[in-house]
Amino acid sequence: MSKEDKPTFEIKAWHAVATWEYDIDVSTCAICQHSCMEPCIECQGKAGSASRCPLAWGECGHAFHFHCIDQWVKSKPKCPLCMQQWKMKDKE
Ligand SMILES: [Zn+2]
Ligand SMILES: [Zn+2]
Ligand SMILES: [Zn+2]
């Protein structure tokens, strides 16, 4: 029955890679390529505004700087990472 084992292993390996990529995605803003822990590229150039750069979480589970995704959705109303329709997650 080793024929059945092989495809299972391949799926597991693929999943591990996908999980690793997901980790990278949420810690780096895919739009400006800066860390989500730091202000967006626009705010970094403006003294005093760095503390007012919030993160925006989508319902798809991806996060971007609010300023970056705000500009992005004006041209494409889709998440830049997964291409699902962008919907901002409401804060509690
Ligand atoms: Zn950004
Ligand atoms: Zn910003
Ligand atoms: Zn997404």
Side-chain angles (χ1 to χ4, degrees), residues 5-92:
D5 290 345
K6 213 182 171 191
T8 311
F9 173 76
E10 279 170 9
I11 289 161
K12 272 185 191 163
W14 179 83
H15 183 73
V17 172
T19 308
W20 178 77
E21 280 178 353
Y22 182 77
D23 266 4
I24 300 295
D25 288 346
V26 293
S27 60
T28 306
C29 172
I31 301 167
C32 71
Q33 304 291 318
H34 275 258
S35 168
C36 284
M37 302 300 134
E38 289 170 21
C40 73
I41 196 152
E42 204 183 308
C43 290
Q44 281 185 20
K46 290 185 212 159
S49 59
S51 57
R52 277 178 282 143
C53 187
L55 273 187
W57 284 88
E59 286 189 342
C60 61
H62 293 129
F64 308 94
H65 296 115
F66 178 82
H67 300 134
C68 293
I69 197 69
D70 193 47
Q71 287 297 312
W72 177 275
V73 295
K74 281 176 187 166
S75 51
K76 287 174 227 147
K78 291 180 177 190
C79 171
L81 287 173
C82 63
M83 292 299 160
Q84 286 183 56
Q85 185 161 17
W86 175 258
K87 251 191 164 184
M88 191 123 39
K89 228 184 197 175
D90 288 329
K91 284 181 190 164
E92 295 285 318

